[in-house]
Amino acid sequence: MDRGYTLAELVAVLTLAGILAAVAMPRMINRDAFNTRGGAAEVRAALRYAQRVAMAKNHEVCVAIAPTSVALNVNPTPTPGAACTTPVSRPGAGNAYVVTLPGGVGLVPALGFRFDALGRPVPNTTLNLTVGGTVPIVISRETGRVQ
């Protein structure tokens, strides 16, 4: 009596296991948490960059927060409160700095604010944002620290 499996049987079992893994695994893994944390990291990076640009250029930078995106624009004049009409360029790319969140990930509340030339948020209050309903982003008053 022979014990063991033939090479053909082993190859067939491994092939079936590979096909099942390729088809079933993506459905078993929920990417929502990954997309939410990644989107929050992108929003934090954009807010920190907006603050740095405001301090470097000595001009206000406007942050427009929509339910699925964040856009940055510069006030081209030294006058506080003037319209922010010039898009902030993405470093290394030259195109407008707009963060679009992954599908199914939202950002609340939708609002607009500015970083002044000292890096403080205008209005000078603590701003609380939530990405994907679970990940908080806090912009501190006076310092503009993004956490």
Side-chain angles (χ1 to χ4, degrees), residues 7-123:
L7 182 60
E9 290 171 328
L10 290 173
V11 169
V13 169
L14 290 174
T15 302
L16 286 173
I19 291 170
L20 283 174
V23 173
M25 287 305 287
R27 295 175 189 215
M28 292 172 53
I29 298 171
N30 187 352
R31 295 186 47 92
D32 291 343
F34 177 77
N35 287 340
T36 299
R37 295 214 179 272
E42 285 189 62
V43 170
R44 274 192 223 97
L47 294 172
R48 289 177 181 136
Y49 186 68
Q51 183 187 36
R52 288 187 180 110
V53 168
M55 292 186 295
K57 292 184 180 266
N58 202 29
H59 287 270
E60 290 179 323
V61 173
C62 296
V63 179
I65 298 176
T68 59
S69 66
V70 176
L72 308 178
N73 292 295
V74 175
N75 174 355
T77 70
T79 308
C84 294
T85 56
T86 307
V88 172
S89 295
R90 186 177 290 273
N95 55 341
Y97 202 131
V98 177
V99 172
T100 303
L101 295 171
V105 177
L107 179 60
V108 292
L111 58 89
F113 69 94
R114 300 167 183 249
F115 283 108
D116 67 13
L118 297 175
R120 298 177 301 200
V122 176

